Amino acid sequence: MDNILLVFLCLLMGLGMQRITAFPKNGHLALNQFVIYIALPALALFYIPKVSISTDLLFPLGIAWIGFMLSFAFFYTLGKRLGWPNRLIGCLVITAGLGNTSFVGFPIIQALYGEEGLKTAIIVDQPGSFVVMATLGIITAGIFAKGEPSRNEIIKKILLFPPFIAFVVACIMNVMKVDFNDHFQTVFQKLGATVTPVALVAVGLQLKIDKRSQHWKFLRLGLLFKLFITPAVFLVLYKIILGGKGLAVDVSIMESAMAPMITGAILASNYGLKPKLSSMMVGIGIPLSFISLAFWYFILNTF
């Protein structure tokens, strides 16, 4: 469980660096840009060309795509009825709609379900969570970052977003069944591996636990949706309505219960969508998710 230890250490390091005067106050902005412009594109270029397209993808793929659309429908409807500002709605849609299906998800799934479970988890993450973040996530961020952005403005932001450019290149390579040579793959893999530690340090630098913060009620609602409502919907949809059975279905439901995605929080923060709340969703959501995951594992193995 080295990855989980790294998650907590990086968060703590980020929190500790808030007290170091030599470290720039806006240092997290530079770290965010590194993740967006270098680490995420490298991740796409390493993984996407290797994804195999088949019907086996349907259950795992649905987790990210359906989950994000559920989040959008829930928070957009609720936010408009209650008169929330667009930046708040966008923040909750993105952070509650994207799960940490890789860095937290992979070691947990591997520990609970072994190597076979890990294969399903990779499908949930790469063509699922990562692609949703690079497409629907960017579109949502562009829409809610400003009141009523023009269509051209949104399209421009998407087309010029580095992870999206890398994603398109990687998809073309996947269709053409080509990949980079071993030297480039090694470089992309190492650069991509920096996503989680750098992003978590950036989150820790922004994370401020203020008991009187106005964000607490939105944090509770966001985490309730991500950690309990979303997996409950998938449990009913996959197990009861569609009659799904087996390892792939169980792993998919467990992945739907993961804490908010770190890079989703970075995306929201980068677009000015309530950076403090997005950091709290990750910083508080990850520890809480270990409790909720134990609950869902019990449910899946009992009923």
Side-chain angles (χ1 to χ4, degrees):
M1 304 295 276
D2 298 354
N3 288 348
I4 294 172
L5 178 61
L6 184 60
V7 165
F8 287 105
L9 282 177
C10 288
L11 276 173
L12 289 173
M13 283 190 286
L15 284 167
M17 288 167 72
Q18 291 182 19
R19 301 177 178 275
I20 299 176
T21 55
F23 196 84
K25 288 186 177 180
N26 292 326
H28 65 276
L29 296 176
L31 296 180
N32 288 352
Q33 295 304 314
F34 175 85
V35 170
I36 295 293
Y37 281 85
I38 297 174
L40 283 179
L43 207 59
L45 293 171
F46 178 75
Y47 281 108
I48 300 298
K50 300 174 178 62
V51 174
S52 300
I53 308 298
S54 71
T55 54
D56 293 338
L57 295 175
L58 294 179
F59 276 120
L61 270 180
I63 295 301
W65 292 92
I66 297 172
F68 192 87
M69 289 186 282
L70 281 173
S71 179
F72 189 96
F74 181 83
F75 289 108
Y76 182 80
T77 303
L78 187 63
K80 288 300 179 183
R81 283 189 178 183
L82 298 178
W84 292 353
N86 278 345
R87 291 176 187 270
L88 174 59
I89 297 172
C91 173
L92 288 171
V93 167
I94 292 171
T95 55
L98 293 168
N100 197 327
T101 51
S102 58
F103 206 75
V104 174
F106 288 175
I108 289 176
I109 295 300
Q110 188 172 26
L112 296 177
Y113 297 100
E115 292 300 320
E116 285 302 310
L118 187 59
K119 291 177 183 177
T120 299
I122 291 171
I123 296 171
V124 173
D125 183 70
Q126 290 306 312
S129 300
F130 184 83
V131 175
V132 172
M133 185 277 298
T135 53
L136 299 184
I138 303 165
I139 293 170
T140 302
I143 291 172
F144 290 102
K146 295 181 179 178
E148 295 292 336
S150 67
R151 183 181 300 176
N152 290 339
E153 202 176 341
I154 295 172
I155 293 172
K156 183 180 177 182
K157 283 186 175 182
I158 294 169
L159 294 180
L160 295 179
F161 190 64
F164 183 75
I165 296 171
F167 165 68
V168 171
V169 171
C171 282
I172 293 171
M173 294 178 68
N174 185 296
V175 171
M176 296 177 66
K177 299 188 184 304
V178 297
D179 205 343
F180 294 97
N181 66 40
D182 292 343
H183 298 297
F184 276 105
Q185 287 193 47
T186 301
V187 170
F188 290 144
Q189 185 178 27
K190 289 181 177 179
L191 286 172
T194 65
V195 166
T196 296
V198 174
L200 276 169
V201 170
V203 167
L205 282 166
Q206 298 171 83
L207 186 60
K208 298 185 187 299
I209 309 298
D210 181 1
K211 293 182 179 179
R212 294 174 293 179
S213 172
Q214 61 178 348
H215 294 313
W216 281 103
K217 60 181 179 180
F218 303 115
L219 175 73
R220 286 194 291 269
L221 180 61
L223 291 180
L224 174 67
F225 180 87
K226 182 69 195 75
L227 302 180
F228 290 98
I229 295 176
T230 298
V233 169
F234 279 109
L235 179 68
V236 172
L237 178 63
Y238 281 10
K239 288 274 194 178
I240 299 174
I241 297 176
L242 298 177
K245 296 178 182 178
L247 184 68
V249 172
D250 287 354
V251 169
S252 297
I253 294 170
M254 285 293 289
E255 283 279 48
S256 75
M258 294 296 165
M261 180 193 277
I262 300 162
T263 46
I266 292 291
L267 175 65
S269 178
N270 206 48
Y271 275 78
L273 302 176
K274 300 294 181 184
K276 290 183 180 177
L277 176 58
S278 63
S279 294
M280 290 171 72
M281 285 287 287
V282 171
I284 295 174
I286 288 175
L288 285 181
S289 70
F290 290 105
I291 299 172
S292 61
L293 286 167
F295 169 77
W296 288 113
Y297 186 68
F298 171 78
I299 293 294
L300 287 170
N301 283 277
T302 304
F303 300 100

